[in-house]
Amino acid sequence: MKDIEISRPEKVLFPDDGITKSELARHYRQVAPRAVPRLRRRALMMERHPDGIGGKPLMQKNVPGYFPDWVHTAELPKEGGTVLHPVCDNADTLVYLAGQACITPHRWLSRTDRPDNPDLLIFDLDPSGGADFDDVRWAASCVGGLLEQVELPSQLMTTGSRGLHVIAPLDRRSDFDTVRAFARRISRLLVSRHPDRLTDEARKAGRGDRVYLDIQRNAYAQTAVAPYSVRARPGAPVATPVAWSELDDPELRPDRWNLRNIADRLRRHDPWADVSARGRSVRAADRRLSARF
């Protein structure tokens, strides 16, 4: 463990809450035992707020030249060139990024050794119009239930924003196009069953008061908020893994846990520890979907 020097540690990043950069760094040191295994060998996008959450954010993919050489990196293709991404393989890197005012690390859905083959499938459930969080809970149960029927176990996470993520570990044998096509089939089947409550309409104006089943993150170089990441919102909410059994808890909210109360959560059993981390085949799940529905 390195002694990471935080420049301007008393810089206030969350003005309404008085949360400083040093507090942010302490949070990431605290959550590192659970957060780092879910970040390891993944390219990151850094959501930096050098002027605090009231200022203009920097959505930064490339590693600045001044980063220390012990921060791991991965050079990955983009259209017309490459990008040198940071990779968070240890707690020190997570703390260092906080010192760079990276409030929220966003992770790739694939690992750096096989960037075209995702090992995560994500449904981002977002309430639209008059839809509320109870609608999001119900939508999550629909998505998780259907994935279970096709033998694709999934995990659940509050986003710290407005909704929930349903996440399924994959075996990395399929490319992004295949995974996204499967996700689209799942979302369209659910929308066809519940057209008054669910939508896959990309245009906000066309969603009405329904829950949007967003599958757009399932593509090369797209990212999703990482588990235990702080969101740049008042109160410093934290994206937090939850157990499926918690979905009916009346106290569950997308921003229930935050930088200042997450410690109690960490003292409890890891809710994802009981979900198999072994990646499953999306092709096999797609065959079951075709055979059963």
Side-chain angles (χ1 to χ4, degrees), residues 30-260:
Q30 177 181 232
V31 302
R34 291 191 185 180
V36 170
R38 278 106 189 194
L39 292 172
R40 197 168 281 132
R41 296 190 291 121
R42 294 185 191 280
L44 298 181
M45 179 177 69
M46 300 173 286
E47 182 182 337
R48 299 176 61 195
H49 292 259
D51 298 318
I53 66 171
K56 185 176 181 180
L58 301 176
M59 308 302 286
Q60 187 171 0
K61 297 180 179 181
N62 60 298
V63 173
Y66 61 81
F67 268 35
D69 56 11
W70 52 261
V71 172
H72 296 172
T73 60
E75 187 172 1
L76 298 174
K78 69 167 186 176
E79 187 174 355
T82 61
V83 175
L84 188 66
H85 292 268
V87 178
C88 185
D89 286 336
N90 50 64
D92 292 331
T93 298
L94 199 53
V95 174
Y96 180 81
L97 294 179
Q100 299 301 306
C102 175
I103 290 178
T104 313
H106 299 260
R107 61 178 182 168
W108 277 44
L109 276 61
S110 58
R111 296 185 186 266
T112 55
D113 61 330
R114 295 173 68 182
D116 296 301
N117 295 72
D119 66 339
L120 297 174
L121 163 65
I122 292 185
F123 290 85
D124 182 5
L125 310 183
D126 186 23
S128 303
D132 60 21
F133 191 62
D134 284 340
D135 297 308
V136 175
R137 296 170 192 263
W138 176 82
S141 69
C142 291
V143 174
L146 184 52
L147 291 177
E148 189 68 27
Q149 287 181 278
V150 297
E151 301 177 35
L152 202 61
S154 60
Q155 303 164 328
L156 189 65
M157 185 178 81
T158 67
T159 62
S161 181
R162 302 179 65 229
L164 293 166
H165 282 179
V166 176
I167 307 166
L170 304 178
D171 63 4
R172 303 206 299 169
R173 294 182 180 177
S174 298
D175 60 18
F176 273 106
D177 287 344
T178 302
V179 170
R180 191 172 185 175
F182 169 76
R184 185 176 294 111
R185 290 193 64 196
I186 290 286
S187 65
R188 286 180 175 172
L189 176 57
L190 291 173
V191 169
S192 70
R193 290 177 176 177
H194 310 285
D196 56 332
R197 300 191 67 179
L198 301 175
T199 180
D200 58 359
E201 174 57 63
R203 296 176 302 109
K204 287 185 178 181
R207 295 175 193 169
D209 297 331
R210 297 172 290 178
V211 176
Y212 176 41
L213 305 183
D214 185 358
I215 64 165
Q216 303 304 316
R217 301 177 190 279
N218 299 288
Y220 179 83
Q222 295 298 304
T223 61
V225 60
Y228 299 102
S229 293
V230 179
R231 305 308 301 272
R233 300 168 66 92
V238 173
T240 306
V242 296
W244 279 104
S245 60
E246 295 178 277
L247 191 58
D248 295 328
D249 182 346
E251 295 185 8
L252 184 66
R253 305 292 305 169
D255 58 355
R256 177 176 177 180
W257 292 282
N258 57 61
L259 181 148
R260 287 178 170 164

